[in-house]
Amino acid sequence: MNKPAMPNSFRTGPDEQGMFGIFGGRFVAETLMPLILDLEEQWNKAKNDPEFKAELQNLSTHYAGRPSKLYFAEGLTKHLGGAKVYFKREDLNHTGSHKINNCLGQILLAKRMGKKRIIAETGAGQHGVASATVAARFGYPCVVYMGATDVARQSPNVFRMKLLGAEVRPVTAGHGTLKDAMNEALRDWVTNVEDTYYLIGTAAGPHPYPELVRDFQAVIGTEARAQILEQEGRLPDVIIAAVGGGSNAIGLFHPFLDDKDVRIIGIEAGGRGLDGVEHCASMNAGKPGVLHGNRTYLLQNADGQILDGHSISAGLDYPGVGPEHSWLRDSGRVQYEPILDDEALEAFQLTTRVEGIIPALESAHAIAHAMKIVPKMDKDQIVIVNLSGRGDKDVHTVANMLGMEI
Ligand SMILES: *Cc1c(COP(=O)(O)O)cnc(C)c1O
C-alpha cells in the first residue's frame, strides 16, 4: 500500500492546482481554463468579503430556514438499544434537502461575477429544482441539462423546474443519465463563456468546484459540531452521511476532520451488491481515473470505460465521487462502506415508523449503516446521521419496491 503521508491537518486542501493528494485538479478544455481561473479568483475574494457573507447568511436564515435542527432520534435510539442517535435535519430546508445551501452560495457568486444566465446538470432532478429555485428568486434564465432517460422517469421534478421558469434540455447521448447531462453542461459552458455561470450540484468537477461546494455545505458540520457540544457537552463518537457526488457528506465531515476521536463514515450505494455492476460504490469497487475535469475513483470496466451504475436512490447514482473523498479514503481518515438497496429500504420504513420522519432514500442509506453499528455501541456514546433530505420524492419508488400501487 502506498498510503499518502499523514498531513498535520485534513482541512487544508486542496493545493493551488486543486489537488487533494493525487486526486482532483482541473482537466478541462483549453477554452475553459480562463473561466475556471476567473471563478477561482472571484471565489477567493467573495469568501472573505463581509458583504457576501452577510447576504448568504441572510438568505440561509430567512429563505432556506437555517440553522437546521440537530434532533435526538429517541424512537430510533430506543429501537436500536445502543448509542444515542441524532439526526442533522437538512430535510427541513427549503426545497427539502441540503442542495439549497450550495445553490444559494453559487447564485450569489454568479451575481457578483455579473453573469446573466445559469446552467446546471441534474440526475434525479433535485439539484435541477434547487437551481431553478434560486434562479427564479434572483430573476435569471436557467437551463437544466438532464439525461433523456431521467427526464422520462422523473416527470414531477421536470414539471417543478418548468413551473419555476427553467428550461429543461433532455440529453440523449450515452445512456441519457447524469454523467451525460454533466458533459453537455460543460459543453454549453465552453460555448457561452461570456455570460454563463455553471452551477455544479455536488463537490465534484474541476477545481475550484469541489472546494467551493464543500465550503458552502460545511455549514452543516459547523452547525452540527456546535449543536452537539451545546446539547451533549461533547463531540460525537461517530458521524455518518451518504455519498453520491459527496457534497452533503463533505459538508458534515469537514469541520470534524481534525477531531481525531470522531470516527467518520461515508456510505456508498451498494445497490444489488458489489459483485456485479448494479451499484454505485466507486470507492469500494472502482478505480482512479479522470471524469468531469478531475481525477477520482470511478466505476469503470476493464477497458476504462465509465459505467452507469445503479442505486435505488437516484441521488446516489453517480459513477464518480468528489476528489476530496478519494483522498480521505486513501489516507484512511474516512471509512467508506456500501449499503444495499434492500437495507436502505428497510431503514426508510423503520425511520418513518419510529420517528414519524420520512427520510430521503439517500439519507436512508446512512441510517441503515447506523442500524448496523449502533446496537453494538454503549448507551452513552453518540452517533450523528446526516438526514440529507426528505423522502416525499421517493414514495413512488418505495411503493414500487414493496409491490404496491399508489
Ligand atoms: C442529491 C442528494 C444526495 C447526494 O448528493 P451529494 O452531493 O452526495 O450530497 C444525497 N441526499 C439527498 C437528499 C440528495 O438530494
Side-chain angles (χ1 to χ4, degrees):
M1 276 297 286
N2 51 346
K3 276 203 171 180
M6 249 341 159
N8 292 324
S9 168
F10 283 98
R11 304 188 59 205
T12 54
D15 69 14
E16 292 198 344
Q17 309 309 317
M19 302 299 290
F20 298 92
I22 62 165
F23 299 105
R26 40 189 166 212
F27 299 84
V28 295
E30 265 320 287
T31 34
L32 268 188
M33 225 26 210
L35 271 112
I36 282 187
L37 292 172
D38 184 37
L39 176 64
E40 184 184 4
E41 191 190 329
Q42 299 278 350
W43 164 234
N44 282 327
K45 283 190 198 146
K47 70 180 167 194
N48 296 311
D49 180 350
E51 211 173 293
F52 182 85
K53 286 198 275 194
E55 194 172 4
L56 180 56
Q57 169 86 50
N58 186 45
L59 283 162
S60 297
T61 305
H62 301 288
Y63 189 67
R66 302 208 72 83
S68 71
K69 309 297 181 208
L70 183 69
Y71 163 72
F72 172 45
E74 199 176 348
L76 190 63
T77 298
K78 274 202 188 120
H79 182 91
L80 297 176
K84 293 175 93 167
V85 181
Y86 279 83
F87 287 158
K88 180 60 174 159
R89 299 289 308 274
E90 293 301 302
D91 61 314
L92 296 177
N93 298 338
H94 180 44
T95 69
S97 80
H98 66 290
K99 291 208 167 68
I100 194 76
N101 304 329
N102 171 45
C103 287
L104 282 175
Q106 289 203 53
I107 199 85
L108 289 181
L109 202 52
K111 190 176 97 173
R112 193 185 163 96
M113 292 174 74
K115 300 297 181 185
K116 299 275 181 295
R117 172 175 177 263
I118 302 298
I119 60 170
E121 85 294 337
T122 199
Q126 295 302 109
H127 174 61
V129 168
S131 299
T133 297
V134 297
R137 168 66 181 75
F138 283 84
Y140 284 105
C142 176
V143 172
V144 179
Y145 288 94
M146 187 169 187
T149 310
D150 290 332
V151 169
R153 62 184 175 188
Q154 306 289 345
S155 51
N157 273 342
V158 173
F159 186 59
R160 272 183 201 112
M161 286 183 260
K162 288 181 179 164
L163 282 173
L164 289 158
E167 179 197 340
V168 179
R169 286 197 192 156
V171 177
T172 49
H175 292 98
T177 57
L178 176 59
K179 166 170 64 70
D180 314 302
M182 198 153 172
N183 284 334
E184 208 52 44
L186 282 164
R187 218 163 283 146
D188 178 314
W189 202 24
V190 178
T191 324
N192 300 290
V193 287
E194 287 307 319
D195 67 341
T196 296
Y197 184 93
Y198 180 17
L199 207 173
I200 290 190
T202 190
H207 179 65
Y209 283 106
E211 179 186 11
L212 80 84
V213 175
R214 174 198 75 197
D215 289 349
F216 288 134
Q217 293 293 1
V219 66
I220 300 172
T222 302
E223 285 176 8
R225 200 172 178 286
Q227 287 165 322
I228 200 71
L229 285 173
E230 157 122 29
Q231 287 168 233
E232 288 280 356
R234 66 180 190 89
L235 292 175
D237 298 278
V238 179
I239 61 176
I240 310 175
V243 178
S247 70
N248 86 89
I250 200 67
L252 176 68
F253 297 169
H254 199 256
F256 289 97
L257 286 176
D258 288 336
D259 296 314
K260 296 199 169 49
D261 294 333
V262 178
R263 214 173 120 203
I264 306 183
I265 308 174
I267 303 301
E268 297 194 293
R272 300 196 176 100
L274 266 50
D275 299 341
V277 293
E278 289 185 301
H279 60 78
C280 262
S282 45
M283 284 182 291
N284 278 288
K287 292 178 298 198
V290 173
L291 177 69
H292 299 142
N294 72 103
R295 186 162 195 273
T296 193
Y297 277 95
L298 300 171
L299 299 179
Q300 330 178 25
N301 67 14
D303 303 328
Q305 245 183 347
I306 311 295
L307 302 172
D308 266 317
H310 155 85
S311 170
I312 185 182
S313 151
L316 301 184
D317 211 341
Y318 180 62
V321 63
E324 192 164 9
H325 287 290
S326 292
W327 174 70
L328 289 168
R329 170 205 185 275
D330 278 13
S331 63
R333 176 62 187 98
V334 178
Q335 171 192 346
Y336 294 89
E337 300 287 346
I339 281 290
L340 304 176
D341 286 351
D342 287 342
E343 295 171 322
L345 191 62
E346 198 186 320
F348 176 97
Q349 295 174 89
L350 178 68
T351 306
T352 302
R353 277 201 317 272
V354 301
E355 286 298 342
I357 295 172
I358 303 179
L361 275 171
E362 293 85 358
S363 321
H365 282 71
I367 300 169
H369 192 74
M371 285 163 61
K372 288 186 181 179
I373 64 169
V374 163
K376 296 180 224 153
M377 294 173 71
D378 290 336
K379 287 200 158 58
D380 59 356
Q381 291 189 292
I382 299 166
V383 174
I384 297 178
V385 177
N386 202 20
L387 207 68
S388 54
R390 64 179 83 124
D392 310 38
K393 67 183 176 58
D394 295 316
V395 293
H396 275 97
T397 308
V398 169
N400 227 335
M401 290 280 292
L402 297 175
M404 293 175 210
E405 248 187 70
I406 50 175

